[in-house]
C-alpha cells in the first residue's frame, strides 16, 4: 500500500521503510533494473528474480535469504525483493560471545574484589568486639566497653548487649568486693 506504480512511473510513500529488522527491501522493474532501495554491502543486486519466492544464495562468503514478490498493476510489472543476511545473526552472536569472553574474567575480578571489600567492612565491627572482649578477659579489666557506634543492625545490638552485661558484671564484682572488704573489716 506504500507503493504505487502507474503509467510507468513509480511512487513510494515518504514513510516507506527500506530497512526493518535486518530485512532490506528493494524495488525492481520487470527487466531486473533497481528502481528503489539500497543494495546491502556484499550482496549482488543483479541476482535474477525467482518466481517461486523464497531462495537462499551464497555470495562473497555470505549467505543471503531472498524473497521475491511480483507486484502487478495496470499491466506494468515491478518486483519487491526482501534481502536478509543469514550470517548477520551468527555475526552478532560471535560478537556477543567475544565481548562476553573478554568481559567475564574482568567482571569476576571486580566482583571478587567488591565482595572481599564488602565482607571485610561488614566484619569490622565483629573484629572490634572480639578484640575488646579479649582485652577484658586478658586484663581482667571490666571497665572497658565495646562502644560500637553506627547503625542499629544486629551486630551493633549485640555489642550494646555485651556492654550492658559488662556493666552488670562490673557492678556485681564491685558489690562483692565491697562486701568482702566490709566483712573482713568487721571480722
Amino acid at each position: 500500500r506504500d507503493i504505487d506504480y502507474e503509467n510507468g512511473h513509480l511512487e513510494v510513500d515518504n514513510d516507506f521503510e527500506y530497512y526493518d529488522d535486518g530485512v532490506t527491501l528493494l524495488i525492481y522493474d520487470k527487466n531486473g533494473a533497481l528502481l528503489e532501495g539500497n543494495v546491502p554491502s556484499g550482496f549482488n543486486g543483479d541476482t535474477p528474480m525467482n518466481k517461486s519466492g523464497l531462495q537462499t544464495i551464497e555470495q562473497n562468503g555470505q549467505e543471503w535469504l531472498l524473497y521475491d514478490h511480483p507486484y502487478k498493476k495496470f499491466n506494468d510489472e515491478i518486483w519487491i525483493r526482501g534481502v536478509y543476511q543469514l550470517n548477520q545473526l551468527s555475526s552478532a552472536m560471535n560478537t556477543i560471545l567475544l565481548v562476553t569472553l573478554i568481559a567475564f574474567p574482568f567482571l569476576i575480578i571486580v566482583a571478587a574484589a567488591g565482595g572481599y571489600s564488602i565482607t571485610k567492612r561488614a566484619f569490622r565491627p565483629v573484629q572490634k568486639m572480639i578484640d575488646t572482649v579479649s582485652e577484658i578477659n586478658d586484663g581482667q579489666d571490666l571497665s572497658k566497653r565495646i562502644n560500637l557506634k553506627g547503625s542499629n543492625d544486629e551486630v551493633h545490638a549485640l555489642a550494646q548487649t555485651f556492654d550492658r552485661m559488662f556493666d552488670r558484671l562490673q557492678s556485681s564484682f564491685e558489690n562483692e568486693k565491697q562486701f568482702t572488704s566490709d566483712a573482713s573489716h568487721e571480722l
Side-chain angles (χ1 to χ4, degrees), residues 58-73:
E58 187 171 332
Q59 292 179 349
N60 303 325
Q62 296 176 339
E63 223 176 337
W64 301 90
L65 184 63
L66 305 178
Y67 180 72
D68 298 326
H69 181 73
Y71 178 72
K72 297 179 182 182
K73 191 170 187 180

Side-chain angles (χ1 to χ4, degrees), residues 140-158:
Q140 302 295 326
D141 183 9
L142 291 176
S143 65
K144 289 186 179 182
R145 298 294 178 265
I146 299 172
N147 290 328
L148 200 58
K149 305 292 184 209
S151 64
N152 293 328
D153 60 4
E154 290 82 5
V155 173
H156 288 81
L158 180 63

Side-chain angles (χ1 to χ4, degrees), residues 150-174:
S151 64
N152 293 328
D153 60 4
E154 290 82 5
V155 173
H156 288 81
L158 180 63
Q160 291 171 356
T161 303
F162 274 130
D163 285 344
R164 287 192 301 271
M165 180 186 71
F166 290 140
D167 287 339
R168 286 194 309 274
L169 280 174
Q170 183 180 9
S171 175
S172 295
F173 281 128
E174 286 176 0

Side-chain angles (χ1 to χ4, degrees), residues 2 6-7 10 13 16 24 29 32 43-44 62 69 88 90 107 116 125 131 159 179:
D2 291 338
E6 292 183 25
N7 300 326
L10 179 69
D13 287 351
F16 184 76
T24 303
D29 68 7
F43 177 72
N44 182 2
Q62 296 176 339
H69 181 73
Q88 189 173 21
S90 64
L107 291 176
Y116 176 77
D131 294 343
F179 174 77

Side-chain angles (χ1 to χ4, degrees), residues 5-26:
Y5 191 70
E6 292 183 25
N7 300 326
H9 182 64
L10 179 69
E11 292 181 23
V12 180
D13 287 351
N14 291 339
D15 62 346
F16 184 76
E17 293 185 29
Y18 290 99
Y19 184 80
D20 189 26
D21 286 335
V23 177
T24 303
L25 294 176
L26 305 171

Side-chain angles (χ1 to χ4, degrees), residues 59-182:
Q59 292 179 349
N60 303 325
Q62 296 176 339
E63 223 176 337
W64 301 90
L65 184 63
L66 305 178
Y67 180 72
D68 298 326
H69 181 73
Y71 178 72
K72 297 179 182 182
K73 191 170 187 180
F74 300 110
N75 297 326
D76 291 320
E77 189 176 320
I78 64 169
W79 286 80
I80 300 172
R81 170 175 274 175
V83 180
Y84 181 77
Q85 182 181 2
L86 291 176
N87 300 21
Q88 189 173 21
L89 179 61
S90 64
S91 175
M93 291 299 289
N94 287 341
T95 303
I96 290 171
L97 181 63
L98 181 63
V99 168
T100 302
L101 289 175
I102 291 171
F104 193 69
F106 176 71
L107 291 176
I108 292 292
I109 291 169
V110 168
Y116 176 77
S117 174
I118 290 170
T119 304
K120 187 174 179 180
R121 188 176 303 136
F123 282 111
R124 194 175 296 148
V126 174
Q127 187 60 47
K128 182 178 181 190
M129 288 173 44
I130 291 170
D131 294 343
T132 304
V133 171
S134 294
E135 286 177 18
I136 293 171
N137 186 40
D138 292 342
Q140 302 295 326
D141 183 9
L142 291 176
S143 65
K144 289 186 179 182
R145 298 294 178 265
I146 299 172
N147 290 328
L148 200 58
K149 305 292 184 209
S151 64
N152 293 328
D153 60 4
E154 290 82 5
V155 173
H156 288 81
L158 180 63
Q160 291 171 356
T161 303
F162 274 130
D163 285 344
R164 287 192 301 271
M165 180 186 71
F166 290 140
D167 287 339
R168 286 194 309 274
L169 280 174
Q170 183 180 9
S171 175
S172 295
F173 281 128
E174 286 176 0
N175 288 340
E176 182 183 335
K177 212 185 272 185
Q178 183 64 40
F179 174 77
T180 305
S181 175
D182 289 346

Side-chain angles (χ1 to χ4, degrees), residues 33-51:
L34 182 64
L35 299 174
E36 290 284 332
N38 294 320
V39 177
S41 175
F43 177 72
N44 182 2
D46 296 332
T47 304
M49 297 295 163
N50 186 353
K51 290 194 186 282

